[in-house]
Amino acid sequence: MPKPKHAEPKLVNIEINGVPLQVPEGELLVEAAKRVQADIPIFCYHKYMAPVGMCRMCLVEVGYKQPDGSVRKMPKPQASCTLPCTEGLVAWTETEQIIKDRRAVLEFLLINHPLDCPICDRGGECPLQNNTQFYGPSTSRYIEIKRHLPKAFPLSKYVALDLERCIQCGRCVRFTEEVSGDAQLAFLFRGAQTQPHTFQLTEFTSRFSGNVIEICPVGALTSRAYRFRARPWDITTQKTVCTMCSNGCTLYADSRSGKVVRFNARENPEVNETWTCDRGKFEQTYMHAPDRILQPMARRGKEWEPLSWGDAYELILQRWGALSQQAGGRAVAGLAGHRLSNESLYMLQKLLRGAFQTNHIDHRFTRYQGALIEPPVQNEYRDLEAASLVFVFGSDLADEQPMVFLRTRKANRRYGVACIVAYPLENAVEEFAAHSLRYRAGSEDALLKGLLYTLLDMLPAEQAQANLPDAAWLRARLADCTPAWTQDQTGVPTETLLAVARQIADAPSMLILAGEKACDHPRAEEVIELLHTLNRLTGNQAREEGGLNLMPTGANQQGALELGVAPHLLPGYAPVGDAAARERFEQAWRVPIPREAGLSTDGILQACLQGEVQMLYVAGADPVREHYEPSLAERALRACEFVIVQDVRMTETARYADLLLPTCPFTEYEGTFTSWERRVQRFWQAHPPQGEAKADWQVFAELWLRMQRQAPPFNAGEVMREIAALVPAFEPCRYDALGEYGARLG
Amino acid sequence: MQEPIIRITERPKPPQPETLTLRFSERAVKELDALLTHYPDKKSAMLPALWIAQREYGGHLTADAIAEVAYRLQRSYAEVEGVATFYTMYNKTPVGKYMLEVCTNLSCMLCGGYRILEYLQQKLGIRLGETTPDGLFTLTEVECLNNCGDAPVMQVGDIYCRRLTPEKIDALLEQLRQSEEHTVVQLADAEVQLHLSAQERERIQQSLSQS
């Protein structure tokens, strides 16, 4: 549903190539022309950036209808990328004059452009090449010497710059200025010498540098990792979703002979528009890591002994057979990673709860492992633009949530959404934030207490009472958290605190983005409780565009919570203790489910140490690296009698495994991920699995078959169908209903 | 996605704000503060700020000068560098004390602008764009100086030398050699003063003499 902030625009009547149509007032002509399939060639225009009209490629003839019905033509052709549609506009995109003009523009652009297309990475997918083919002259009249400039200049680890090819469209310069905000690229010199460059040719250090490669309409900016790896016509492109963080950016995985050679952004107006971060674009290479696990292996002393899948399952069943006689399900536990698909997570908890009779299952490795009963996120990307204030708490947003950062920045620039950031260190949000609270690390709780104290003072008493019935109790609890005390505890000056509180009190709605510093705080329970109080006190709990979001960090961490990979929750946030909910799942799975809530991650690891948990199933997780206390994880894994590690590659944790099972990374199977905003998006298989790797859900399904003698699901779509039948929120996520841009839960 | 084919040549990192050496004098800082009050945002003060920098850094804009302007205006380094390299009157390389800017546009060319240029090159023993070894003169060719009636024309600092002849040039060079002035810096200063209002100039003068 569109949020109410941006009112429905007025429609105006225009005419393009003789076709009358209605478009929203102010829509750019170049966009309006797409509605009637009138093809206007462009170079400098980009849908998600402000138009500049630099390249003159999109010239069209334009006129306006006069009151007497005649059309008065403008004397010169107009750039359609800078022309907003108004009532009575008439445009012609294919007249003889325009065809001539386009030829002329292209002839100029090609004067200095080297014709090295055969060795150019862009060749085959190059807007300049395409436009020349369709609209350009077939020969050049230019016989002088072309401009010569450095070739393949390494601008950074990821980006190479080929200045000769540059046509000065300014897309890259505008991107760094408008979208990523670091303005690290600028045009140097003037006239024919104009060239985009960094300051003094220093490194291009932007977090979003990879985008300039994609938006460059020629081969001037190319990816160093992809350079000369493949040609556009011998790669297969498949739609996928990024797994580097929880932002759920949609990508294209381009692979050549079974290897992914690059990731490009896939447009999704609800999520990443057309952007990616460098981590997602360049650092996502683990599917071709040299330490991939390629077949099931069992530990024999110090050696790994290769097994067949059948023998591996047999080994698990043997172990379980012995265990179930003595301790039963209490002695089994599971830890899930955040890169597993929704289907895999569902099957994992089904396997553990149904077959292994245990609720000891978790996916959280931060200090906050509380018993959540509702989604920890309230908002979606769109809300960032609809809210009046975004409060970034304890998060280095640009690093933890790159796409949320870009969208927040856009909300601030384009819609004037105010921003407040609280983080102990310098961070990128400060660039546009109204206030920055740099508190002493670890004093998150004190800062929140001080803020709540001040807010209780500032908000009208009735309002506070209405929003928070126990306001009086809170007042008593925070009696000594005065601004002076807060300054003493956190180092945040009193004036700043008061100004921030004033802004929060006055804001019609506030959206809180709470990051790692909140969820990984030693007193995380308290910090999160205080955040909830702040959310309720300001009345944002009930608002659609405001709310509190405890941002997950892992790709499908949110999905794990939705699908019951938590000791106290069944899929769909149904408490394990709830007999009715349990019965629903018991009937569907045709097995009883243990009644008591299980142990959380810390509990499981402790239980391993004490020998209570004797079989640990680690699927896609790496507790040794991810757990906040690696030594605890390490000792627990060493103590546990039988550790099954199911992963893509040899992780730290895999070294403690007794049985290793190879699984597919996200490019090798299909499924869905749930992003932080509870958006479920599909990804497809980009290339065949390596070795004997299987998709996680398939391994769980095969085990389920062996243990329960029930027909297993045959593909991921069937698993999703089973989920949708049991959890109403997942109803729109059935594969046949799930659209290009995914669907939000609930 | 293996290792890139290109040999990795690490680019230097852009300077961190903490590591900048700020060289603006007290007067320059006061002038910049006054200039900033003229505009709605700091970005707009970029051109006069670059003139201040050109004066403070002795006649040309070094990388440090550009970085300092960017730091003081809270803009990115690249943006300021882009502006500085766009305009020809900001010098990006070291120049002599006197910039000899000879016009060779239409009127001056017809009246012997190129002969004047030739003469200067021989007399000073340098080519276009070069600086004499003693660091006094830099010879450049410029487009129309808007003084066609008195062609050929040459600009030195903020003075115009009109109807040039070899004799006049000899005399002028001799005079400049004797002089203590630094016309390049003077020109930058004149530009800065031009941007400030009379009251601002006075106030800055006063506060400097007091302290």
Side-chain angles (χ1 to χ4, degrees), chain A residues 342-395:
Chain A
N342 287 330
E343 292 75 13
S344 307
L345 288 165
Y346 170 81
M347 287 305 293
L348 171 66
Q349 62 90 29
K350 180 178 171 183
L351 177 73
L352 281 165
R353 292 211 159 99
F356 288 110
Q357 288 296 309
T358 176
N359 275 326
H360 299 337
I361 175 169
D362 210 341
H363 68 281
R364 293 167 296 184
F365 298 100
T366 58
R367 285 187 174 85
Y368 180 63
Q369 297 172 2
L372 279 168
I373 44 159
E374 54 186 13
V377 286
Q378 257 181 284
N379 298 105
E380 57 179 316
Y381 279 108
R382 203 194 288 239
D383 294 338
L384 292 167
E385 285 152 26
S388 343
L389 176 68
V390 174
F391 184 21
V392 182
F393 185 83
S395 170

Side-chain angles (χ1 to χ4, degrees), chain A residues 101-321:
Chain A
D101 290 347
R102 285 176 185 160
R103 286 169 76 89
V105 169
L106 277 167
E107 195 174 1
F108 270 123
L109 288 178
L110 289 171
I111 279 184
N112 274 321
H113 189 84
L115 299 180
D116 59 354
C117 306
I119 54 138
C120 175
D121 264 346
R122 264 295 196 190
E125 50 176 12
C126 170
L128 181 63
Q129 209 177 35
N130 295 347
N131 285 344
T132 307
Q133 172 135 27
F134 292 126
Y135 309 105
S138 51
T139 52
S140 171
R141 289 176 288 172
Y142 189 76
I143 52 166
E144 289 78 7
I145 292 172
K146 291 191 182 222
R147 178 185 60 181
H148 284 295
L149 288 164
K151 292 197 79 71
F153 181 84
L155 213 51
S156 75
K157 206 162 74 177
Y158 306 125
V159 186
L161 173 63
D162 220 310
L163 275 174
E164 280 182 355
R165 295 180 187 149
C166 177
I167 57 165
Q168 288 92 31
C169 70
R171 272 188 177 185
C172 52
V173 173
R174 281 149 57 213
F175 172 82
T176 61
E177 201 175 291
E178 274 175 40
V179 182
S180 69
D182 43 56
Q184 286 189 21
L185 291 177
F187 274 132
L188 302 191
F189 312 115
R190 62 195 292 178
Q193 275 82 44
T194 311
Q195 45 180 265
H197 238 310
T198 49
F199 172 66
Q200 297 288 311
L201 315 189
T202 48
E203 192 183 339
F204 184 26
T205 55
S206 171
R207 279 189 180 87
F208 304 95
S209 67
N211 290 296
V212 301
I213 297 166
E214 269 179 77
I215 59 178
C216 182
V218 291
L221 290 155
T222 47
S223 162
R224 288 181 67 178
Y226 173 67
R227 223 177 142 80
F228 305 139
R229 290 281 163 222
R231 311 254 43 192
W233 51 85
D234 58 27
I235 52 184
T236 36
T237 297
Q238 190 54 278
K239 293 184 236 171
T240 190
V241 177
C242 185
T243 60
M244 294 308 268
C245 74
S246 65
N247 288 189
C249 297
T250 44
L251 299 178
Y252 283 118
D254 288 350
S255 52
R256 180 175 187 259
S257 27
K259 275 201 161 188
V260 176
V261 285
R262 67 169 175 190
F263 287 105
N264 272 351
R266 171 156 64 99
E267 184 180 354
N268 187 341
E270 301 293 336
V271 181
N272 55 330
E273 301 188 324
T274 52
W275 314 126
T276 54
C277 68
D278 284 356
R279 220 174 341 144
K281 200 172 165 63
F282 300 112
E283 305 282 320
Q284 203 159 213
T285 54
Y286 60 89
M287 53 280 205
H288 301 309
D291 57 353
R292 277 280 304 261
I293 305 170
L294 294 173
Q295 55 183 348
M297 289 185 285
R299 185 183 287 285
R300 291 276 178 275
K302 282 188 176 173
E303 299 292 308
W304 288 110
E305 184 198 339
L307 291 177
S308 70
W309 274 104
D311 290 345
Y313 293 142
E314 208 48 52
L315 189 61
I316 298 174
L317 293 185
Q318 263 175 25
R319 282 286 176 159
W320 167 242

Side-chain angles (χ1 to χ4, degrees), chain A residues 418-492:
Chain A
C419 209
I420 295 172
V421 57
Y423 193 69
L425 305 168
E426 189 184 342
N427 63 87
V429 182
E430 285 179 342
E431 179 230 339
F432 56 89
H435 295 287
S436 167
L437 302 166
R438 279 205 206 166
Y439 55 83
R440 216 168 287 138
S443 64
E444 283 82 1
D445 47 345
L447 180 66
L448 280 172
K449 280 178 188 164
L451 196 58
L452 281 169
Y453 174 94
T454 325
L455 271 173
L456 278 172
D457 265 1
M458 275 182 191
L459 287 170
E462 342 39 286
Q463 193 192 331
Q465 192 62 41
N467 287 337
L468 195 70
D470 50 359
W473 176 81
L474 183 68
R475 215 178 288 261
R477 177 182 158 201
L478 301 177
D480 14 300
C481 305
T482 59
W485 173 85
T486 316
Q487 179 170 357
D488 185 48
Q489 295 286 311
T490 65
V492 174

Side-chain angles (χ1 to χ4, degrees), chain A residues 625-646:
Chain A
R625 288 277 296 278
E626 289 164 14
H627 194 264
Y628 65 89
E629 210 190 311
S631 66
L632 171 65
E634 215 173 313
R635 277 181 293 134
L637 285 165
R638 198 168 285 158
C640 187
E641 217 169 274
F642 189 60
V643 180
I644 309 165
V645 172
Q646 176 174 326

Side-chain angles (χ1 to χ4, degrees), chain B residues 110-145:
Chain B
L110 291 174
C111 294
Y114 279 110
R115 272 206 306 275
I116 298 297
L117 206 56
E118 195 65 26
Y119 180 74
L120 273 167
Q121 289 190 17
Q122 282 185 357
K123 169 102 184 158
L124 297 171
I126 52 173
R127 276 175 303 182
L128 259 186
E130 290 181 349
T131 306
T132 50
D134 57 2
L136 280 184
F137 300 105
T138 302
L139 185 62
T140 57
E141 181 186 13
V142 292
E143 298 306 324
C144 187
L145 289 171

